[in-house]
Amino acid sequence: MRSFSFEEILGEILKEGLFWAALGRPSEVMPFLRGKLLNNGYSESTKRELADLLRELEIFYSRVACCGRIEERHMKALKSFQRDIIAVISFEKA
């Protein structure tokens, strides 16, 4: 049985958020992401950085909702959010 890394799981959750955004529900996964990322024992500075990224992500999802479809540029932006979130968390662990 294969286990999945945090990065892979985060990527799938972010994609699900993109899917919901395209369906007109841009905030569908945000409570889950906020709960998992902001209530995970990270330092206050890391939580602030993550909260900022999550606000930007929610704005991004709102823009996708206005578009009503997912484009290649949205997938690229999503990968950027994933990298940024992982970088903030990795810095915390270092």
Side-chain angles (χ1 to χ4, degrees):
M1 180 193 266
R2 180 179 187 269
S3 61
F4 296 89
S5 69
F6 171 79
E7 291 84 3
E8 291 172 308
I9 294 169
L10 176 63
E12 293 303 314
I13 294 167
L14 294 174
K15 285 182 208 172
E16 184 172 338
L18 192 60
F19 166 79
W20 283 110
L23 292 176
R25 297 176 69 178
S27 297
E28 192 69 27
V29 301
M30 296 310 296
F32 176 78
L33 281 170
R34 282 190 179 97
K36 290 297 179 187
L37 294 175
L38 300 179
N39 298 318
N40 210 353
Y42 298 123
S43 68
E44 288 305 313
S45 63
T46 297
K47 286 181 185 179
R48 278 191 301 274
E49 287 184 64
L50 288 171
D52 290 344
L53 282 170
L54 291 172
R55 275 191 292 279
E56 290 176 28
L57 179 63
E58 190 163 22
I59 291 167
F60 167 71
Y61 283 156
S62 294
R63 288 186 191 134
V64 171
C66 291
C67 199
R69 65 185 178 279
I70 299 171
E71 300 174 356
E72 184 63 31
R73 64 187 173 110
H74 297 138
M75 295 302 292
K76 288 179 181 178
L78 204 63
K79 290 201 180 287
S80 179
F81 277 108
Q82 182 180 6
R83 281 190 304 269
D84 290 348
I85 291 169
I86 291 167
V88 169
I89 291 170
S90 295
F91 185 74
E92 167 83 12
K93 292 178 181 176

